Amino acid sequence: MALSLLSMQRISKAFGGIPALSAASLQIDAGEVHALVGQNGAGKSTMIKILTGYYRKDAGDIQFDGASFDVESPQAAQMGGISTIYQEINLVPYRSVAENICLGREKRRFGLLDWPAMYEDARALIARFNINIDVRQPLMNFNTATQQMIAISRAIGFKAKLVIMDEPTSSLDEREVGVLFDVIRQLKADGVSVIFVSHKLDELYQVCDRVTIMRDGQSVKTAAMADLTQLELIAAMLGRDIAQVSRHTTAFGDRTFQYQSGPEAPLLKVSNLRAGRKVLDVNFNMRRGEIIGLAGLLGAGRTETARVIFGEDQRQGGLVELNGVAFNPRDPADAIAAGLGFCSEDRKLDGIIPDMSVAENLTLVLLPHLSKAGIVDETAKAKIVETFIARLGVKCSGPNQKIRELSGGNQQKVLLARWLATNPDLLILDEPTRGIDVGAKAEIQSLINAMAKDGLSVLMISSELEEVIEGADRVFVLREGHSVAEFAHKDLSEQAIMQAMAYSEPATTAAGAAS
Amino acid sequence: MTQSITPTGSQGISKTIMNGLGRHGVVLALALLLLFGAVRYEHFLGLFNISTVLRYNSMFALVALGMCFVIMTGGIDLSVGSTAALGSVVAALLSPYGVIIGTLGGVFAGLVIGCINGLIVTRLRILPFITTLATMLAASGSALLLSKNQSVSVSYESGFTELGQGDFLNLPIPAIIAGVFYIIASLVLNLTSTGRTVLAIGGNEDASRLMGLRTDRIKFLVYLASGGLAGLAGVILASQFGAGQPIEGVGWELFAIASVVVGGTLLTGGVGSVGATLAGVLLLGLIFNILNFENGLGWISLSAYWQSVIRGLFLLVVVILQARLSRPND
């Protein structure tokens, strides 16, 4: 048994009464690369932010390097030997590499900055990673991978014993990932421990020794990477027992969709869609009145695909056909005019208008239809608002209550109503039940079911397996920007979907491992 | 990853009162100031004084109205002061051709600046602050070029001065013009889809675009309107003082921003009121008026520069109140 460097025991933390962590634990050995994985909301970020002093824990105990560790600020954590490399590199782009490395522990002589000593120091730190750059150049002259090396050098300069890397590879290409992994192995050889957070499973297997899997604010499993198959890892992440498949844990009814055979073109057909870094080759189709599930791990390109279909991002290749005709919306307004709706994943970021009322939030999309010569017909508006508040069971003090005062579930209902009121042909729902309580979740699921029965076609993106398995007529699985599998409702099983999510093409693995 | 969920449910009564104060505070302050003046000074509520205050402040009211809409979308328009100066010069130069041509010319000059602002902000995606800072300099330079760096006398024969100096039904014509625009603006904001879209953009621009709202079109329109209103303010300036003033308008943009903010409109956008902006203009304008009356009593002699100090203090107090009272949850 190796020496333990960090031990976080029974850590709990709640935000506004909602627990984010309940008695979670994490133990890191000296000189170990440890993967930390989990779904969105599993508690990884909270755990790391407590360790690095951004949040204070409510309960629990942290031992680091043989002593109790309880810091109040990220600066204190850094001084204590824990450094964090963020996904978005947070260094100062206009200042030199040396300044970035030495910022906060500048070398001085007679009270003035000792530039030669700092350049020398920076050069020595960088040289450990076999890269040779001019440390007097501004940071922004270098590519992302090099900047990451510089960030790591800075961490080492602070004599870090533990380096936390939060999705460090998300903006790197394959070759750069190889370089980063070399650096991680170098760190390990020097006895520095690394916590590695990533959603790319192949990478975890390449570089990590052990893994801790988090779910619903708890650590559900810690194991050596070698003892865990990808399937087992995903199963633990999603909270599924591979052997046991339970039916009907959601409020979706039985899907008994009958395909109308006939010459009719599919409602939506997506072929070889390519856009940005996340959507590489996506193919799927949907028929009128169908609920299609898009499954995949975080970063698989599901949301990005939806944004392209909705005209918010532009495609770089491939074809989208709506009712058999090529469909290229320039912006969401085009897509809405064509009968689409899009309920986005992050309510706060691009869903609600917080300072506007429930009624306003519900009717903004409809305004052009509710206005005569630009003047809003308040009577018609009030009627629609009243109808949908009643139909969806939105709990609010009245249509004029500000939407930010509502609970997450009720906000989501208002957003659903916003689109249902436009009477769309195709509604895209991105994580329709994320972050809302169990009761509201069931209501929204049965609502989606009822809408589809009335003939609405739904494209549902969900990270919850039950939701896509029980809710969808067919499911397409995306993996790193490619559609890799299609399942009809009768063939759906959690195991099959997880297998498709986890399956890695040999070529990808080989390319990554070559580093 | 972990969402912090804002507490829901009913707000406390005290919080509701505080929210109300934050929003209607400017009206209350205006009422108190009027009461103070009416009790203390003999001619404060006399027709002459009211008429003078309204006539002079209607220019600022027009500029602040345009600014109010820009700020509600989450933007800013620093060019309004220079645009008013340019408008006054253009109007003065065209004044021999009559009040209509002079007015249209001044407003057109303002619309040109507003159009440039709108196009740069929406098409080139340059920040409004930078864009309007640049056009502020350009408009100021254009005004100086056109006027050859001196004030341009208006034609008194053409009746151009009637616009700024005349009365209609005992009310100053500039005040009537400003009043009409405020009524129209209030209707647009509260009753039309354009008005709702203005607030939606300021509240959450990403969400607005995903809802298919024509965000760029509306943003273009608010900058266009702001420019046009500033041009109109310039026309009134030229007409009222009998000359196009290329170096007037300095600091008007800041006065306009101050009025809008005192009126409770959030600088981050999404929340705002036309009526409260007018109250903000009058509140800041009355401070100057009351200072004059106070000096007139003969007990003290405060320099006119004190008005800026007092206005500054008012602005600070209001912003602090807004920050502390209105949005305790965020």
Side-chain angles (χ1 to χ4, degrees):
Chain A
M1 178 89 185
L3 212 61
S4 178
L5 174 72
L6 169 76
S7 156
M8 298 174 77
Q9 293 295 332
R10 306 193 56 76
I11 308 291
S12 294
K13 174 77 185 173
F15 295 99
I18 317 244
L21 286 178
S22 23
S25 300
L26 179 65
Q27 185 267 324
I28 312 281
D29 291 339
E32 161 186 54
V33 182
H34 195 106
L36 184 61
V37 299
Q39 295 265 81
N40 256 342
K44 295 174 306 205
S45 281
T46 314
M47 196 76 167
I48 286 172
K49 283 181 174 162
I50 284 174
L51 180 59
T52 52
Y54 274 98
Y55 297 149
R56 307 303 308 273
K57 60 184 188 299
D58 295 343
D61 177 56
I62 303 177
Q63 296 281 327
F64 180 70
D65 203 17
S68 180
F69 188 79
D70 186 15
V71 289
E72 288 178 18
S73 71
Q75 287 74 23
Q78 193 166 51
M79 290 307 167
I82 297 180
S83 282
T84 312
I85 315 291
Y86 293 95
Q87 194 173 346
E88 307 298 334
I89 295 161
N90 51 350
L91 296 175
V92 192
Y94 294 99
R95 305 313 308 165
S96 71
V97 172
E99 279 175 271
N100 272 293
I101 289 179
C102 298
L103 208 63
R105 51 171 195 94
E106 293 89 347
K107 295 203 180 304
R108 287 166 203 277
R109 207 170 45 171
F110 313 125
L112 300 174
L113 294 178
D114 184 358
W115 286 105
M118 287 204 283
Y119 289 142
E120 193 42 53
D121 194 35
R123 224 171 272 131
L125 283 166
I126 293 273
R128 289 158 52 118
F129 304 128
N130 292 322
I131 45 175
N132 188 15
I133 55 173
D134 181 358
V135 295
R136 287 168 301 185
Q137 294 252 342
L139 182 80
M140 62 186 200
N141 288 5
F142 299 99
N143 64 26
T144 317
T146 309
Q147 292 189 20
Q148 219 150 29
M149 306 305 151
I150 293 163
I152 295 169
S153 305
R154 172 178 164 80
I156 306 302
F158 274 94
K159 308 258 180 295
K161 295 195 179 75
L162 174 64
V163 177
I164 301 166
M165 299 190 185
D166 190 358
E167 295 202 47
T169 59
S170 59
S171 47
L172 302 185
D173 67 28
E174 243 165 52
R175 195 185 49 81
E176 293 169 331
V177 169
V179 177
L180 177 71
F181 285 180
D182 283 343
V183 169
I184 291 177
R185 292 184 189 109
Q186 174 73 44
L187 288 178
K188 193 177 149 174
D190 294 346
V192 177
S193 303
V194 174
I195 296 180
F196 192 85
V197 180
S198 175
H199 295 288
K200 297 182 182 166
L201 299 187
D202 293 342
E203 293 178 1
L204 304 184
Y205 280 94
Q206 282 176 51
V207 78
C208 297
D209 302 312
R210 290 195 305 154
V211 59
T212 292
I213 302 162
M214 297 194 66
R215 193 178 71 240
D216 299 334
Q218 293 175 317
S219 324
V220 290
K221 195 181 186 79
T222 299
M225 291 301 298
D227 298 342
L228 204 64
T229 67
Q230 292 210 359
L231 193 58
E232 286 169 329
L233 194 146
I234 290 182
M237 241 165 82
L238 305 184
R240 309 253 69 79
D241 191 335
I242 294 177
Q244 170 224 333
V245 176
S246 64
R247 293 299 287 171
H248 284 289
T249 51
T250 67
F252 287 108
D254 264 324
R255 295 299 305 160
T256 49
F257 182 77
Q258 297 296 319
Y259 305 132
Q260 274 113 35
S261 53
E264 197 191 345
L267 174 68
L268 183 76
K269 185 159 183 275
V270 175
S271 326
N272 307 108
L273 189 68
R274 188 163 57 78
R277 303 179 76 115
K278 296 277 183 67
V279 181
L280 302 174
D281 183 15
V282 173
N283 298 277
F284 70 93
N285 58 73
M286 56 193 297
R287 286 165 281 222
R288 204 165 277 282
E290 222 178 358
I291 299 184
I292 293 293
L294 271 192
L297 293 174
L298 210 79
R302 295 167 300 168
T303 298
E304 291 79 3
T305 299
R307 285 168 64 94
V308 173
I309 295 171
F310 198 60
E312 174 66 355
D313 292 330
Q314 296 306 308
R315 70 190 164 89
Q316 274 136 18
L319 186 64
V320 178
E321 288 164 278
L322 189 68
N323 289 315
V325 185
F327 179 57
N328 300 305
R330 273 175 299 124
D331 55 24
D334 269 2
I336 292 166
L340 269 63
F342 179 35
C343 226
S344 61
E345 175 182 11
D346 191 325
R347 279 190 302 276
K348 272 200 176 141
L349 196 70
D350 51 21
I352 63 169
I353 314 262
D355 280 317
M356 286 188 133
S357 68
V358 169
E360 301 279 4
N361 269 284
L362 207 155
T363 53
L364 276 169
V365 184
L366 273 185
L367 281 179
H369 303 282
L370 282 175
S371 311
K372 285 202 184 84
I375 312 267
V376 180
D377 182 345
E378 292 292 335
T379 324
K381 179 171 139 183
K383 207 167 159 193
I384 287 178
V385 171
E386 195 186 331
T387 309
F388 278 94
I389 286 181
R391 189 171 143 201
L392 273 68
V394 178
K395 288 183 197 71
C396 56
S397 66
N400 293 323
Q401 188 177 12
K402 284 193 176 172
I403 195 167
R404 66 180 157 101
E405 295 166 4
L406 266 52
S407 70
N410 281 304
Q411 288 181 358
Q412 187 70 356
K413 285 184 192 169
V414 174
L415 297 189
L416 271 179
R418 172 191 284 174
W419 292 110
L420 291 180
T422 67
N423 199 14
D425 292 332
L426 166 58
L427 186 54
I428 305 170
L429 301 176
D430 196 352
E431 302 287 358
T433 62
R434 155 135 344 136
I436 60 186
D437 66 76
V438 183
K441 201 167 180 168
E443 283 180 73
I444 283 173
Q445 287 167 342
S446 56
L447 197 74
I448 297 171
N449 208 39
M451 289 169 349
K453 280 218 171 87
D454 291 346
L456 177 71
S457 314
V458 178
L459 180 62
M460 181 170 64
I461 298 169
S462 177
S463 297
E464 303 207 16
L465 282 185
E466 310 95 319
E467 228 165 61
V468 286
I469 288 172
E470 294 176 18
D473 300 306
R474 283 185 298 149
V475 172
F476 291 84
V477 180
L478 299 194
R479 187 174 188 283
E480 297 191 5
H482 300 263
S483 19
V484 292
E486 172 187 349
F487 298 99
H489 186 68
K490 63 175 169 52
D491 302 328
L492 277 172
S493 73
E494 297 184 336
Q495 182 148 15
I497 291 187
M498 287 193 291
Q499 198 95 53
M501 285 163 130
Y503 174 74
S504 60
E505 293 166 60
T508 318
T509 317
S515 54
Chain B
M1 175 191 294
T2 310
Q3 283 182 318
S4 67
I5 294 161
T6 40
T8 57
S10 63
Q11 294 189 332
I13 290 172
S14 64
K15 201 189 280 175
T16 312
I17 292 172
M18 291 306 195
N19 274 338
L21 272 181
R23 192 145 308 143
H24 304 296
V26 63
V27 180
L28 191 70
L30 184 61
L32 288 176
L33 207 61
L34 282 172
L35 191 68
F36 174 81
V39 170
R40 191 166 169 85
Y41 315 115
E42 195 181 345
H43 298 295
F44 185 73
L45 288 185
L47 192 61
F48 178 76
N49 189 45
I50 290 178
S51 172
T52 308
V53 169
L54 290 182
R55 187 188 303 280
Y56 181 62
N57 284 292
S58 52
M59 295 182 291
F60 303 123
L62 287 170
V63 170
L65 181 60
M67 185 70 78
C68 175
F69 273 73
V70 172
I71 287 179
M72 281 190 290
T73 65
I76 196 93
D77 187 353
L78 298 179
S79 68
V80 288
S82 309
T83 302
L86 178 63
S88 80
V89 169
V90 171
L93 289 171
L94 293 175
S95 63
Y97 303 102
V99 63
I100 306 234
I101 300 287
T103 304
L104 288 180
V107 172
F108 181 75
L111 289 174
V112 169
I113 301 292
C115 177
I116 295 171
N117 284 335
L119 285 178
I120 295 177
V121 168
T122 58
R123 293 289 153 85
L124 304 181
R125 309 254 163 234
I126 307 290
L127 286 179
F129 189 95
I130 305 295
T131 304
T132 58
L133 184 64
T135 50
M136 166 181 158
L137 298 172
S140 176
S142 308
L144 289 166
L145 280 173
L146 281 176
S147 66
K148 303 192 177 61
N149 196 13
Q150 44 196 299
S151 57
V152 182
S153 295
V154 303
S155 152
Y156 283 84
E157 294 79 43
S158 66
F160 178 73
T161 52
E162 192 63 15
L163 185 77
Q165 299 171 7
D167 288 297
F168 182 74
L169 298 175
N170 275 341
L171 281 169
I173 290 176
I176 296 173
I177 295 174
V180 168
F181 273 100
Y182 267 82
I183 291 169
I184 294 173
S186 181
L187 295 177
V188 166
L189 182 63
N190 293 307
L191 298 182
T192 69
S193 55
T194 304
R196 299 292 89 188
T197 307
V198 165
L199 288 174
I201 293 171
N204 190 341
E205 190 168 347
D206 286 334
S208 301
R209 208 178 40 252
L210 279 178
M211 282 188 270
L213 302 179
R214 303 287 187 185
T215 52
D216 280 348
R217 182 189 299 171
I218 299 294
K219 277 164 72 180
F220 173 78
L221 285 177
V222 296
Y223 286 98
L224 187 68
S226 178
L229 287 168
L232 181 59
V235 173
I236 292 173
L237 174 73
S239 172
Q240 205 170 104
F241 294 91
Q245 315 264 8
I247 51 167
E248 258 297 326
V250 176
W252 281 23
E253 64 282 344
L254 301 180
F255 182 77
I257 295 169
S259 307
V260 170
V261 170
V262 167
T265 297
L266 290 180
L267 271 180
T268 46
V271 176
S273 155
V274 167
T277 296
L278 183 60
V281 172
L282 292 177
L283 182 68
L284 296 185
L286 274 181
I287 291 172
F288 180 55
N289 190 237
I290 282 186
L291 206 64
N292 281 339
F293 271 98
E294 195 60 42
N295 285 338
L297 289 180
W299 296 329
I300 54 161
S301 174
L302 285 175
S303 132
Y305 297 120
W306 274 102
Q307 66 161 322
S308 292
V309 176
I310 299 170
R311 282 174 176 175
L313 287 176
F314 253 94
L315 186 61
L316 263 184
V317 168
V318 168
V319 171
I320 291 167
L321 283 178
Q322 266 184 19
R324 301 204 42 171
L325 302 180
S326 295
R327 318 195 87 202
N329 284 339
D330 295 344

